[in-house]
Amino acid sequence: MNTFHYHQGELYCEDLSLATIARYYATPCYVYSEAAFRERYHSFSMALGEGTLVCYAVKANGNLAVLRVFVDMGAGFDIVSGGEMERVLRAGGAPEKIIFSGVGKSADEIRAALSVGIACLNVESAAELWRIADIAADMRLRAPVALRVNPDVDPDTHAYIATGLKESKFGIPMDAARALYLEAAKHPALELKGIACHIGSQLLNLAPLAEAAMRVRALYEDLSAQGIILEHLDLGGGVGIRYHEENPPSPADYAEVLDQALSGLPVKRAVELGRALVGNAGVLLTRVEYLKDNGSKQFCVVDAAMNDLLRPALYGAWHDILPLREDAGPSREPKQVMDVVGPVCESGDFLAKNRAISAASGDILAVMGAGAYGFAMSSNYNSRPRPPEVLVHGHQHRLIRRRENRDDLMGLELP
Ligand code: LLP
């Protein structure tokens, strides 16, 4: 499905021209397509089938209106903080469909998760497991847990978002996990639910996922042989998307890899997908302020910056940048190779490097692939109010987070 497309030379989101949105809400501005969220979720849930709970990884884009779309479709949720849990609950999500991952859960977060009755805590260390056991015992209940194992496979992605290697801070090494399951099985306040595993993000190659799933299977079988019968296997998230020229796995390819690795096991499955569900469902609209020629280098200075979209600065990530009016016709400026940069006072503040684009002051550009880890990673650096978020559905648009103002910037301070 092509949610963002040119129609009579104008870039559209579903049935609305993005120029209309930019006029209405000004720039910078995040715009999401509800149809794209729905289409991506349905593709994965159909491909993975009924035995798999597709959890949406809230960290990718936690706006309440976005979460409500996923609640409406029956998704589960993968959370990594008490704040994310509160978001899911306020969006109407059921606690029984929430899985809590993350290496540093605080005692308060564990207590809150147990008291609302979430489906599972994915445990990342022995120390965390015993903390959970103590809290559950104190609350006179049994904590549903899975150990998040570290399968030590190379996910073949950017180092900052690789999580399944021995040297990463995530998960419990396989051998240690095996021993820990045996110990945990004896604890009356722990209910062993499953095994969890997540090896990294923006995965384009399915082989590491297959390898990790095989290792999870081996552990499951080993534990079964020792009398520890688990209910579910959570294979994490990480399926990549196309930002530029990548060839990401299709939902069907992904489902087939999991099926092959886990066939015949009498367990439910869960996945924790973020980017693959929302990444290409969002854009960041930005206006060109100035074109600047430094002699050896041309710059296109826009009104969005690294505080609005951090991915290029942090990971050197590529985001396509498209003009709202298609590159055609004699009236357009010739393309020039430029760095697209924001107003923030850092040389790392760029949205694109050496990009051939045609732009003039006042033009509006769409930074594509900004639906995941875009607004979610934004900040107020340089005292910049964060942009609004707008949800489009068909011909309709709706403000789902207003633009921050100066009071929002300073309101919490105590001068
Ligand atoms: N489950 C766990 C335990 C995770 O740590 C993550 C992502 C996910 C699921 C969802 O992964 P996804 O399906 O979205 O790849 N800020 C980075 C991505 C960080 C991902 C962190 N963990 C970026 O902008 O590329």
Side-chain angles (χ1 to χ4, degrees):
M1 182 176 109
N2 195 2
T3 320
F4 294 96
H5 60 281
Y6 284 102
H7 173 64
Q8 296 177 346
E10 296 270 340
L11 189 58
Y12 271 61
C13 173
E14 301 191 24
D15 302 325
L16 259 181
S17 94
L18 287 169
T20 306
I21 307 252
R23 264 196 304 276
Y24 204 87
Y25 297 101
T27 56
C29 173
Y30 275 98
V31 184
Y32 310 127
S33 155
E34 181 168 334
F37 293 150
R38 291 184 179 272
E39 194 273 332
R40 291 298 282 171
Y41 175 81
H42 286 307
S43 305
F44 276 97
S45 66
M46 297 280 281
L48 291 162
E50 272 190 4
T52 304
L53 179 64
V54 178
C55 295
Y56 170 54
V58 175
K59 64 174 81 66
N61 184 334
N63 184 291
L64 291 171
V66 175
L67 298 181
R68 285 176 70 147
V69 175
F70 284 97
V71 169
D72 182 55
M73 293 188 289
F77 293 92
D78 165 56
I79 59 162
V80 290
S81 70
E84 287 191 352
M85 184 174 85
E86 189 61 31
R87 284 184 174 278
V88 173
L89 297 175
R90 286 194 194 184
E96 318 82 71
K97 286 190 173 177
I98 299 178
I99 291 173
F100 195 163
S101 310
V103 287
K105 300 177 200 75
S106 70
D108 283 349
E109 287 175 323
I110 293 166
R111 211 169 284 114
L114 292 177
S115 63
V116 302
I118 69 163
C120 194
L121 289 149
N122 288 349
V123 179
E124 301 241 7
S125 62
E128 188 196 355
L129 181 69
W130 302 130
R131 176 187 272 186
I132 291 171
D134 285 349
I135 294 171
D138 189 49
M139 294 172 77
R140 296 182 202 292
L141 43 79
R142 294 181 79 206
V145 294
L147 299 191
R148 172 169 174 190
V149 297
N150 182 328
D152 192 23
V153 297
D154 183 350
D156 192 13
T157 188
H158 191 285
Y160 289 5
I161 53 177
T163 54
L165 281 166
K166 248 198 334 256
E167 56 270 27
S168 97
K169 71 176 176 178
F170 297 98
I172 303 171
M174 281 289 184
D175 287 341
R178 195 172 285 111
L180 200 53
Y181 271 107
L182 297 176
E183 266 189 86
K186 297 182 213 141
H187 199 295
L190 294 175
E191 190 182 357
L192 296 181
K193 287 284 196 187
I195 306 174
C197 173
H198 170 81
I199 59 170
S201 197
Q202 183 58 5
L203 307 180
L204 298 168
N205 177 357
L206 285 170
L209 274 169
E211 184 57 38
M214 291 301 292
R215 293 186 190 181
V216 167
R217 178 189 185 113
L219 176 60
Y220 170 85
E221 287 174 336
D222 193 355
L223 294 172
S224 296
Q226 305 199 52
I228 298 179
I229 311 296
L230 301 170
E231 286 171 23
H232 80 255
L233 302 179
D234 171 353
L235 286 311
V239 175
I241 62 170
R242 172 175 286 200
Y243 285 105
H244 184 29
E245 287 169 340
E246 303 91 337
N247 270 319
S250 69
D253 292 345
Y254 177 55
E256 193 185 321
V257 157
L258 298 191
D259 270 342
Q260 273 179 7
L262 306 174
S263 66
L265 298 185
V267 284
K268 290 183 281 184
R269 298 178 201 162
V271 292
E272 306 166 357
L273 297 172
R275 188 191 321 263
L277 299 180
V278 299
N280 277 327
V283 300
L284 173 62
L285 298 182
T286 185
R287 180 182 297 270
V288 178
E289 299 280 17
Y290 310 104
L291 295 185
K292 175 169 174 171
D293 184 346
N294 270 7
S296 55
K297 186 113 203 156
Q298 324 291 322
F299 295 94
C300 174
V301 184
V302 296
D303 66 358
M306 65 188 290
N307 74 294
D308 303 303
L309 179 66
L310 184 60
R311 301 194 71 258
L314 189 58
Y315 313 114
W318 176 290
H319 286 260
D320 277 339
I321 297 187
L322 299 182
L324 293 203
R325 269 211 72 75
E326 203 167 17
D327 279 322
S331 61
R332 282 211 71 83
E333 305 288 320
K335 280 193 178 181
Q336 288 189 71
V337 175
M338 298 189 265
D339 283 7
V340 180
V341 300
V344 161
C345 298
E346 297 224 18
S347 294
D349 176 30
F350 60 88
L351 299 178
K353 287 266 190 199
N354 298 320
R355 200 65 69 82
I357 54 169
S358 137
S361 173
D363 281 0
I364 296 176
L365 304 172
V367 185
M368 308 304 289
Y373 308 109
F375 188 89
M377 294 175 80
S378 65
S379 76
N380 293 123
Y381 188 39
N382 277 204
S383 281
R384 290 170 50 83
R386 280 181 291 182
E389 295 174 284
V390 174
L391 184 62
V392 170
H393 197 31
H395 288 96
Q396 288 168 348
H397 55 94
R398 181 161 82 83
L399 185 65
I400 58 172
R401 191 180 203 276
R402 68 161 170 78
R403 186 183 302 285
E404 290 178 355
N405 59 34
R406 304 259 162 92
D407 290 336
D408 296 323
L409 285 181
M410 285 162 268
L412 300 178
E413 292 169 29
L414 307 168

